């Protein structure tokens, strides 16, 4: 199954045209008549999606940190949970004891 082809897919226009041509010229009784063309389209759409996600997530860490800072500010806290744990003496002591015991 592929996504709707009525929206623009700039990287896959030739594969879309080939699939539409195959559907128009191949008998509906041949269930597997356009499988090769469909496979090529699926590979192109997969690559297009990976490129889109890579572009959208390129500055994910910066956005995530900004969201975390805004959340902490909204709660009226100046320190994140990780920063709090780094300064908590009981937590540090417990982690040191755990590390001395070694893995289970």
């Amino acid at each position: 199954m592929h996504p709707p082809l009525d929206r623009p897919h700039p990287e896959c226009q030739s594969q879309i045209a080939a699939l539409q041509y195959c559907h128009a010229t191949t008998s509906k009784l041949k269930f597997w008549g356009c499988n090769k063309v469909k496979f090529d389209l699926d590979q192109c759409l997969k690559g297009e999606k990976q490129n889109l996600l890579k572009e959208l997530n390129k500055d994910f860490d910066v956005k995530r940190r900004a969201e975390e800072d805004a959340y902490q500010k909204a709660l009226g806290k100046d320190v994140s949970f990780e920063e709090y744990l780094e300064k908590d003496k009981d937590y540090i002591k417990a982690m040191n004891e755990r590390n001395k015991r070694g893995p289970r």
Side-chain angles (χ1 to χ4, degrees), residues 1-5 9 11-20 23 34-48:
M1 201 66 173
H2 55 72
L5 301 178
H9 294 279
E11 298 174 15
C12 303
Q13 288 304 312
S14 61
Q15 289 88 347
I16 291 171
L19 182 65
Q20 289 171 339
H23 284 168
C34 300
N35 278 357
K36 172 74 172 102
V37 179
K38 169 88 169 62
F39 178 77
D40 293 341
L41 175 62
D42 288 343
Q43 293 303 308
C44 182
L45 291 172
K46 183 178 179 180
E48 182 183 66

Side-chain angles (χ1 to χ4, degrees), residues 52-91:
L52 178 65
L53 288 174
K54 196 179 298 181
E55 180 67 27
L56 290 173
N57 291 328
K58 68 181 177 185
D59 56 350
F60 177 77
D61 293 332
V62 174
K63 290 178 184 177
R64 177 76 174 126
R65 188 69 191 152
E67 287 176 2
E68 179 67 24
D69 291 343
Y71 176 72
Q72 293 297 332
K73 186 176 180 181
L75 291 177
K77 298 179 180 177
D78 296 331
V79 180
S80 72
F81 183 67
E82 289 80 15
E83 292 169 340
Y84 173 78
L85 287 178
E86 289 174 2
K87 296 176 184 177
D88 185 18
K89 294 176 184 176
D90 292 332
Y91 175 77

